């Protein structure tokens, strides 16, 4: 499973990179979204998958999956959400002020027209 | 702190006081406040003569940075004292001269004297420091104050050009010298010159020895305007004439000579040192005297003449070093060159100082320094003419002035080069006396041009800005004193020999007993005939100068060193601008490409160089069919975002990927993650849609992403690298997780059953606190962006 996941993560990173290299600001933000999905899955995969029960002691299982990567991912999800939200509003404001979402046209004051 | 330290620091202290006194007492010329200090210092240093002439040295030290072995150690020996006397003595005369030369009303005298005092203190520091780092500090201070003085008339374009040029070249050399100092420290473990000299035998075979020598020599050559670094000196003539007289003839340009002399006991046992110093010196001597002849500006002639004389002293120091190379040969055989070098150092300071002052007087009284406009000034300025005659005849090496004596000794030394037996010098060495002789002829010619074109010939009043007349007596005092010295040393050279020259030579060559006796008459020797030849040919060439002037046209300006220097500056500026513009495109896409490309190159090289890429399957869990389908779904979802034509589709696909991720979290037994992911993905998609909704109408034209091959290659590379690293990292697990501790203690110690939550708020609660902070900042930032725009934005629009 880990090997399959490594390829899935690779594809996510690949698509994210391609989107981030595009001109449209919205696509770039979509790319960052994909990138954080890839990173979260990578953390989980590296902590080994499906070794035991859900990390709740009530399960009374003999082994549990590793709780540490899960805690790390939870933190990462929240932080990336905060950043994405900020970035989106920034993009929204940029549309309003500059009237474009083309990155090539956002070059100082001269390039606006 | 001893009196010696105070003597070095006193110019700096006075430099602080000068502007205050200048502002308080505007009616008195600021130079009068400065004048007593160099006179007093000169007398103070004279009191050391009895000590040094007994071959004694005075060493005083105060700690500066003791942990790094850097102490402000002052050492007075014959060589240091000679320079200190030159600096303070000529310094006094130059200050006196400048009082009459610079106008009290038109010039900013406070800055001038502050710079001059800064220079004087720095120069004293250079020649008296025993610690190499302290020496380097003062060395750079001389470069810096020289820069300030050359650019004194900063509203002139040429002054700024000259100042920048001299700064670039001397600081280049200075930095290289610092490198040499550090190499010396690495070999010997000390910065003290005296201690390094004691260890000099041990470092001869060290592999760092030659690099250290080359670095130090580069510093000395740039400072002393040796070929091909002499080009800054003629441009430094834009400085006021007292500065040219002081810095660019008598003191600063001799700092390089001082350094070579000081370092000779360390390096001269290697033949390369002798060869390099003498070789560069003799080339500089020839090129300087050859170029001086074609100059039409008085100070231009003097500048190239200085270059040439510095080369002569340098070559003498090199040949003197041969004495250290051959310990066995008769001691005084090559050391005559060192004696000649020291003697000529003094002579040059006297006559060149006076000649610069003469040039300044001519400029001051006629308004021009161009020899094509000057002529026939003899009758207007008889005293100046007399001084000029004495100075130039001494420079040309005519009896009975002091230049004659040093030139004779110079020829003696050059003839002896024939007997130095290394680096093929016994065959190539014949070039030395020949070049020296030819250069002396040119020296004779430009000396004659200098004096006779200015003071004799046809008087051309229509070309002069002012009506010429004799200079005020105050301006004449300094050159008269120097001219008197020229004659006194010429007639009684042995006044100096045991008091000043012998101790200085002893400092350059510590283990030799040198008998210094300068005699007027050698008998009918080779040297005498060489001098006669110089005079005869020189007169001939001077008379026919207009006919062979054309020779100089053979060397077009295109190939001059100045041209090279300018084009190096120009090309480096243009190249850096072109390169910068080439890669700093201003498109964020380009920068991302660099980042990703670098990421790929670095990581893949590391992976394959370290042979780290492996896949092990013994450690992996099984694949359920549902998981395989999910993996397929998420991959298809991600890939189709790229091909999505409309933005709405891509947002919905991103949402689909997010929800698939949360289903993965369910399958991989992470319920908290699944919950959070679901909630957050929903909000994110809503936000995306908000942005989408507000897209300007005009731009809503939907289009597919344009395909770019570089983007595709880079992104495939990034994906592949991430996959490979993930696989290798997973296959290379070196130790187990620390999870067991949390499993054991979640209930025991933290009273919770949900391990993830307990970790978040209990075991690793700090992370959570700052994650909350991140969210708070994001919320405030968003609020600020939306709220604060209204006022600011409208204001901008109204304008």
């Amino acid at each position: 499973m880990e090997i399959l996941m490594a390829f899935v993560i690779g594809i996510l990173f690949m698509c994210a990179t391609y989107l981030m290299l595009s001109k449209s600001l919205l696509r770039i933000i979509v790319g960052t979204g994909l990138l954080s999905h890839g990173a979260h899955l990578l953390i989980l995969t590296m902590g080994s998958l499906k070794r035991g029960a859900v990390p709740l002691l009530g399960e009374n299982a003999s082994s549990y999956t590793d709780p540490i990567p899960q805690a790390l991912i939870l933190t990462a999800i929240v932080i990336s959400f905060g950043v994405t939200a900020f970035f989106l509003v920034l993009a929204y404001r940029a549309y309003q002020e500059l009237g474009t979402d083309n990155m090539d046209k956002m070059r100082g004051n001269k390039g606006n027209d | 702190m001893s009196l010696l330290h105070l003597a070095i620091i006193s110019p700096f202290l006075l430099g602080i006081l000068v502007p205050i006194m200048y502002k308080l007492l505007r009616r008195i010329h600021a130079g009068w406040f400065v004048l007593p200090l160099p006179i007093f210092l000169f007398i103070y240093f004279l009191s050391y003569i009895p000590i040094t002439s007994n071959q004694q040295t005075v060493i005083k030290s105060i700690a500066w940075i003791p942990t790094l072995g850097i102490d402000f150690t002052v050492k007075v020996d014959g060589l240091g004292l000679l320079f200190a006397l030159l600096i303070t003595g000529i310094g006094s005369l130059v200050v006196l001269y400048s009082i009459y030369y610079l106008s009290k009303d038109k010039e900013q005298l406070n800055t001038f004297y502050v710079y001059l005092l800064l220079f004087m203190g720095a120069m004293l520091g250079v020649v008296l420091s025993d610690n190499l780092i302290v020496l380097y500090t003062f060395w750079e201070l001389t470069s810096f104050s020289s820069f300030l003085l050359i650019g004194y008339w900063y509203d002139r374009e040429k002054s700024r050009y000259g100042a920048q040029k001299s700064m670039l070249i001397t600081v280049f050399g200075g930095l290289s010298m610092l490198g040499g100092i550090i190499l010396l420290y690495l070999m010997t473990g000390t910065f003290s010159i005296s201690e390094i000299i004691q260890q000099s035998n041990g470092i001869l075979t060290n592999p760092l020895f030659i690099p250290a020598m080359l670095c130090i020599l580069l510093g000395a050559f740039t400072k002393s305007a040796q070929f091909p670094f002499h080009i800054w000196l003629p441009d430094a003539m834009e400085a006021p004439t007292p500065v040219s007289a002081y810095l660019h003839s008598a003191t600063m340009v001799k700092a390089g000579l001082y350094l070579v002399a000081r370092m000779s006991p360390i390096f001269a046992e290697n033949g390369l040192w002798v060869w390099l110093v003498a070789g560069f010196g003799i080339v500089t001597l020839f090129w300087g005297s050859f170029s001086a002849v074609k100059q039409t500006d008085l100070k231009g002639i003097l500048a190239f003449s200085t270059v040439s004389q510095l080369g002569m002293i340098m070559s003498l120091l090199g040949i003197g070093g041969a004495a250290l190379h051959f310990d066995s040969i008769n001691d005084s055989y090559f050391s005559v060159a060192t004696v000649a070098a020291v003697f000529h150092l003094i002579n040059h300071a006297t006559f060149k100082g006076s000649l610069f002052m003469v040039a300044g007087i001519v400029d001051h009284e006629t308004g021009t320094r161009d020899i094509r406009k000057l002529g026939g000034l003899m009758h207007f300025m008889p005293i100046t003419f007399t001084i000029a005659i004495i100075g130039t005849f001494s420079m040309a090496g005519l009896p009975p002035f002091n230049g004659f004596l040093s030139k004779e000794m110079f020829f003696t030394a050059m003839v002896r080069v024939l007997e130095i037996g290394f680096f093929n010098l016994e065959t190539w060495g014949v070039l030395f006396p020949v070049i020296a002789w030819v250069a002396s002829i040119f020296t004779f010619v430009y000396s004659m041009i200098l004096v006779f074109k200015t003071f004799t010939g046809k008087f051309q009043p229509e070309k002069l800005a002012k009506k010429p007349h004799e200079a005020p007596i105050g301006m004449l005092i300094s050159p008269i004193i120097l001219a008197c010295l020229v004659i006194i040393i010429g007639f009684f050279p042995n006044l100096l020999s045991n008091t000043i020259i012998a101790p200085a030579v002893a400092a350059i060559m510590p283990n030799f007993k040198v008998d210094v006796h300068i005699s007027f008459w050698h008998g009918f020797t080779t040297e005498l005939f060489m001098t006669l030849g110089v005079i005869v040919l020189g007169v001939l060439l001077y008379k026919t100068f207009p006919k062979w002037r054309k020779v100089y046209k053979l060397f077009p300006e295109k190939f001059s060193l100045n041209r090279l220097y300018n084009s190096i500056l120009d090309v480096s500026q243009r190249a850096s601008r072109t390169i910068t513009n080439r890669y700093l495109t201003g498109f964020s896409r380009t920068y991302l490409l660099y980042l990703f490309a670098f990421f790929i190159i670095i990581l893949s090289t590391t992976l394959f160089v370290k042979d780290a890429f492996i896949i092990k399957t013994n450690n992996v869990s099984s694949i359920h069919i549902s998981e395989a389908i999910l993996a397929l779904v998420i991959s298809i979802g991600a890939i189709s975002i790229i091909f999505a034509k409309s933005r709405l589709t891509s947002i919905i696909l991103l949402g689909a990927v997010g929800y698939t991720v949360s289903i993965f979290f369910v399958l991989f037994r992470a319920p908290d993650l699944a919950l959070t992911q679901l909630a957050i993905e929903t909000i994110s998609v809503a936000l995306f849609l908000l942005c989408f909704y507000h897209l300007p109408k005009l731009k809503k034209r939907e289009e597919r992403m344009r395909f770019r091959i570089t983007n595709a290659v880079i992104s495939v590379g990034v994906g592949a690298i991430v996959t490979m690293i993930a696989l290798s990292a997973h296959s290379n697990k070196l130790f187990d997780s620390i999870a067991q501790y949390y499993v054991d203690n979640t209930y025991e110690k933290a009273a919770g059953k949900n391990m993830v939550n307990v970790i978040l708020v209990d075991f690793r609660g700090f992370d959570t606190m700052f994650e909350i902070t991140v969210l708070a900042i994001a919320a405030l930032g968003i609020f600020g962006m939306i709220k604060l725009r209204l006022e600011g934005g409208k204001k901008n629009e109204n304008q």
Side-chain angles (χ1 to χ4, degrees):
Chain A
M1 190 68 224
E2 280 86 351
I3 293 175
L4 181 65
M5 285 311 288
F7 281 98
V8 170
I9 292 158
I11 288 170
L12 286 178
F13 268 84
M14 179 188 79
C15 299
T17 312
Y18 194 84
L19 286 168
M20 284 164 78
L21 289 172
S22 67
K23 268 196 253 176
S24 153
L25 192 54
L26 200 62
R27 280 213 165 91
I28 292 175
I29 302 174
V30 170
T32 59
L34 272 186
L35 195 73
S36 43
H37 288 323
H40 299 156
L41 284 177
L42 183 65
I43 299 174
L44 199 67
T45 311
M46 291 298 105
S48 292
L49 299 171
K50 300 198 292 187
R51 299 277 160 76
V54 175
L56 297 171
L57 284 178
E59 298 282 303
N60 285 326
S62 59
S63 73
Y64 295 95
T65 48
D66 194 338
I68 305 168
Q70 297 194 10
L72 295 181
I73 295 168
L74 202 59
T75 311
I77 289 176
V78 175
I79 289 173
S80 71
F81 168 68
V83 175
T84 310
F86 185 87
F87 198 7
L88 274 169
V89 176
L90 192 67
Y92 161 75
R93 291 282 297 114
Y95 292 147
Q96 280 189 332
E97 294 288 321
L98 307 174
T100 178
D101 82 326
N102 188 335
M103 285 302 286
D104 291 0
K105 291 191 178 166
M106 294 186 188
R107 300 181 66 199
N109 290 324
K110 279 181 193 165
N112 285 343
D113 7 86
Chain B
M1 184 181 288
S2 64
L3 261 180
L4 262 174
H5 288 99
L6 198 66
I8 294 179
I9 294 170
S10 60
F12 300 113
L13 298 178
L14 186 60
I16 298 171
L17 292 179
V18 161
I20 300 169
M21 293 195 274
Y22 174 74
K23 296 276 178 203
L24 287 180
L25 302 161
R26 289 302 284 260
R27 294 177 54 201
I28 304 172
H29 196 287
W32 292 113
F33 307 132
V34 179
L35 187 59
L37 180 74
I39 295 178
F40 177 77
L41 287 177
F42 183 70
I43 295 165
Y44 172 70
F45 283 119
L46 279 180
S47 72
Y48 278 88
I49 288 185
I51 302 172
T52 56
S53 53
N54 288 331
Q55 313 288 347
Q56 305 280 309
T57 55
V58 180
I59 296 183
K60 292 274 160 60
S61 182
I62 48 174
W64 183 22
I65 315 175
T67 44
L68 297 179
I70 300 170
D71 296 320
F72 187 5
T73 310
V74 178
K75 177 180 172 185
V76 182
D77 60 358
L79 185 65
L81 186 68
L82 161 66
F83 273 90
L85 287 173
L86 277 182
I87 291 161
T88 50
I90 298 195
S92 320
L93 297 176
V94 163
V95 171
L96 179 66
Y97 177 76
S98 73
I99 291 171
Y100 291 93
Y101 186 83
L102 292 172
S103 155
K104 188 172 63 180
D105 309 316
K106 290 177 199 154
E107 308 286 357
Q108 292 221 309
L109 291 174
N110 51 346
T111 54
F112 180 80
Y113 286 109
V114 169
Y115 300 160
L116 202 70
L117 283 168
L118 184 67
F119 170 78
M120 194 184 288
M123 201 62 211
L124 280 176
V126 166
V127 299
L128 295 177
S129 297
D130 187 54
N131 190 291
L132 281 170
I133 294 289
V134 178
L135 189 149
Y136 172 73
T137 311
F138 284 120
W139 183 277
E140 291 297 17
L141 256 180
T142 63
S143 295
F144 176 63
S145 48
S146 160
F147 167 78
L148 291 172
L149 283 166
I150 297 169
Y152 176 66
W153 287 310
Y154 53 83
D155 47 347
R156 297 183 190 171
E157 167 95 43
K158 280 179 135 183
S159 297
R160 297 198 301 270
Y161 173 79
Q164 187 205 34
K165 192 173 186 178
S166 73
M167 185 74 160
L168 285 176
I169 295 180
T170 52
V171 167
F172 164 72
L175 271 180
S176 138
M177 188 182 110
L178 179 63
I181 290 171
I182 292 169
L183 291 177
L184 272 179
Y185 179 76
L186 289 178
M187 289 186 282
T188 60
T190 175
F191 283 122
S192 159
I193 300 175
S194 351
E195 285 174 33
I196 293 176
I197 289 175
Q198 280 163 16
Q199 297 187 29
S200 61
N201 274 325
I203 59 173
L204 260 178
T205 51
N206 196 307
L208 296 177
F209 183 79
I210 299 286
M213 177 203 287
L214 296 178
C215 283
I216 299 249
L217 273 185
L218 193 59
F221 285 170
T222 49
K223 196 76 162 187
S224 275
Q226 298 296 299
F227 187 89
F229 307 110
H230 65 274
I231 51 174
W232 65 268
L233 190 60
D235 283 306
M237 291 301 128
E238 293 303 322
T241 304
V243 172
S244 309
Y246 189 36
L247 273 69
H248 306 122
S249 75
T251 51
M252 187 180 90
V253 287
K254 291 188 173 137
L257 300 174
Y258 167 79
L259 191 72
V260 168
R262 186 54 98 199
M263 294 287 169
S264 281
I266 302 173
F267 291 113
E269 289 189 35
N270 189 311
L272 185 64
W273 169 273
V274 176
W275 192 83
L276 278 177
V277 174
F280 271 92
I282 202 88
V283 171
T284 310
L285 164 65
F286 171 74
W287 188 251
S289 62
F290 178 70
S291 305
V293 178
K294 71 171 170 183
Q295 304 298 317
T296 53
D297 178 63
L298 283 182
K299 279 173 89 176
I301 300 176
L302 288 173
F304 277 104
S305 139
T306 304
V307 169
S308 142
Q309 308 273 329
L310 290 171
M312 171 174 160
I313 301 173
M314 191 66 93
S315 65
L316 284 170
L317 284 174
I319 292 159
L324 290 155
H325 185 70
F326 302 108
D327 287 329
S328 54
I329 298 188
N330 186 2
D331 284 346
S332 61
Y333 196 70
F334 291 114
S335 58
V336 67
T338 311
V339 176
V342 173
F343 189 45
H344 194 67
L345 195 80
I346 302 167
N347 294 344
H348 178 247
T350 55
F351 68 70
K352 194 52 67 69
S354 73
L355 284 177
F356 266 108
M357 289 173 185
V358 164
I361 290 171
V362 169
D363 187 16
H364 206 263
E365 303 306 332
T366 63
T368 183
R369 299 193 309 249
D370 192 330
I371 52 168
R372 288 168 299 191
K373 294 180 185 167
L374 294 167
L377 294 178
M378 192 166 67
H379 305 293
F380 300 95
M381 313 177 164
I383 304 174
T384 317
F385 174 60
T386 317
I387 299 165
I389 285 271
I390 295 168
T392 46
F393 279 26
S394 174
M395 182 157 76
L398 297 178
F401 306 109
N402 57 6
F404 170 70
L405 302 171
S406 40
K407 184 134 291 180
E408 291 278 286
M409 291 161 79
F410 170 60
F411 284 145
T412 313
M414 285 300 144
V415 171
R416 288 185 183 175
V417 173
L418 295 174
E419 301 176 33
I420 301 181
F422 53 85
F423 289 114
N424 283 335
L425 273 181
E426 63 271 31
T427 46
W428 288 101
V430 73
L431 282 176
F432 276 83
V434 171
I435 295 177
W437 187 68
V438 174
S440 298
I441 295 171
F442 281 111
T443 306
F444 185 90
V445 174
Y446 72 67
S447 299
M448 296 306 113
I449 291 176
L450 191 68
V451 63
F452 289 119
K453 294 263 191 228
T454 311
F455 290 98
T456 61
K458 206 168 140 259
F459 178 54
Q460 301 159 299
E462 69 282 357
K463 288 186 182 171
L464 300 179
K466 298 176 184 170
K467 193 172 157 21
H469 54 80
E470 187 57 274
I473 184 69
M475 224 181 207
L476 288 168
I477 294 174
S478 302
I480 288 176
I481 292 175
L482 287 171
C484 290
L485 277 176
V486 170
I487 298 173
I488 291 171
I489 298 173
F491 279 108
F492 308 103
N494 290 314
L495 274 180
L496 295 178
S497 58
N498 279 324
T499 47
I500 292 180
I501 297 174
V505 172
I508 300 172
M509 305 198 300
N511 300 321
F512 289 80
K513 211 172 143 13
V514 180
D515 180 33
V516 178
H517 185 79
I518 301 161
S519 56
F520 233 121
W521 180 250
H522 301 274
F524 290 101
T525 52
T526 329
E527 296 90 49
L528 188 69
F529 291 116
M530 281 168 88
T531 306
L532 284 176
V534 165
I535 295 171
V536 171
L537 268 174
V539 170
L540 218 66
L541 279 178
Y542 172 66
K543 289 288 177 201
T544 55
F545 178 56
K547 284 178 190 158
W548 56 273
R549 227 196 133 86
K550 286 185 212 107
V551 172
Y552 287 104
K553 296 226 169 100
L554 294 176
F555 302 93
E557 281 292 302
K558 235 187 223 174
F559 300 110
S560 75
L561 286 163
N562 274 322
R563 193 74 173 237
L564 183 72
Y565 164 85
N566 287 337
S567 60
I568 287 175
L569 272 197
D570 214 39
V571 164
S572 59
Q573 277 177 9
R574 244 184 302 150
S576 77
R577 194 181 305 132
T578 322
I579 294 169
T580 312
N581 287 344
R582 195 57 62 74
Y583 76 89
L584 290 181
T585 56
F587 295 111
S588 59
R589 176 179 169 266
T590 333
Y591 305 144
L592 283 173
L593 279 180
Y594 300 149
L595 286 175
F596 285 129
F598 195 68
F599 172 83
I600 294 170
I601 292 166
I602 289 291
L603 289 181
S604 58
T605 328
T606 320
L607 262 189
F608 291 108
V609 167
K610 295 277 172 190
D611 214 14
F613 179 60
I614 35 167
I615 303 176
K616 281 189 200 147
T617 48
N618 54 358
N619 198 19
V620 297
S621 49
S622 60
I623 303 176
H624 194 263
I625 180 77
S626 61
E627 293 159 355
I629 293 173
L630 267 187
L632 197 65
V633 167
I634 198 170
S635 307
I636 292 172
I639 292 170
S640 38
I641 294 178
I642 294 173
F643 296 102
K645 212 173 180 184
S646 100
R647 292 182 166 122
L648 191 58
T649 321
S650 60
I651 290 167
I652 289 167
L653 283 169
L654 180 68
V657 170
Y659 289 130
T660 323
V661 169
S662 75
I663 298 173
F664 266 124
F665 287 154
V666 171
L667 291 177
F668 296 151
R669 286 150 209 180
D672 301 298
L673 291 186
L675 276 175
T676 319
Q677 179 67 30
L678 268 176
I680 277 179
E681 197 57 39
T682 314
I683 302 172
S684 301
V685 170
L687 271 172
F688 269 107
L689 290 174
L690 179 80
C691 273
F692 175 76
Y693 181 74
H694 283 279
L695 262 176
K697 290 220 159 55
L698 204 141
K699 293 278 173 182
K700 262 187 186 163
R701 199 162 39 88
E702 293 175 346
E703 55 185 320
R704 180 178 287 198
M705 264 176 82
R706 227 184 302 141
F707 179 75
R708 279 215 179 106
I709 189 78
T710 40
N711 291 7
V713 169
I714 290 281
S715 36
V716 169
V718 169
I721 282 288
V722 170
T723 305
M724 284 193 286
I725 287 175
L727 289 173
S728 319
H730 187 73
S731 309
N732 267 331
K733 265 204 180 140
L734 297 175
F735 42 81
D736 275 342
S737 165
I738 54 167
Q740 196 55 44
Y741 172 82
Y742 294 105
V743 176
D744 294 342
N745 292 308
T746 300
Y747 191 74
E748 295 291 310
K749 290 194 173 158
K753 289 188 174 175
N754 184 334
M755 286 178 226
V756 176
N757 285 4
V758 167
I759 289 175
L760 280 176
V761 298
D762 202 318
F763 289 118
R764 299 178 57 88
F766 269 119
D767 291 0
T768 314
M769 188 172 87
F770 289 109
E771 161 197 337
I772 292 167
T773 317
V774 168
L775 268 194
I777 290 171
L780 284 174
I782 290 168
F783 180 79
M785 268 195 294
I786 292 173
K787 275 292 169 190
L788 293 181
R789 83 192 135 116
L790 291 168
E791 298 149 26
K794 269 180 189 164
K795 261 183 204 162
N796 282 341
E797 276 161 29
N798 290 342
Q799 285 168 355

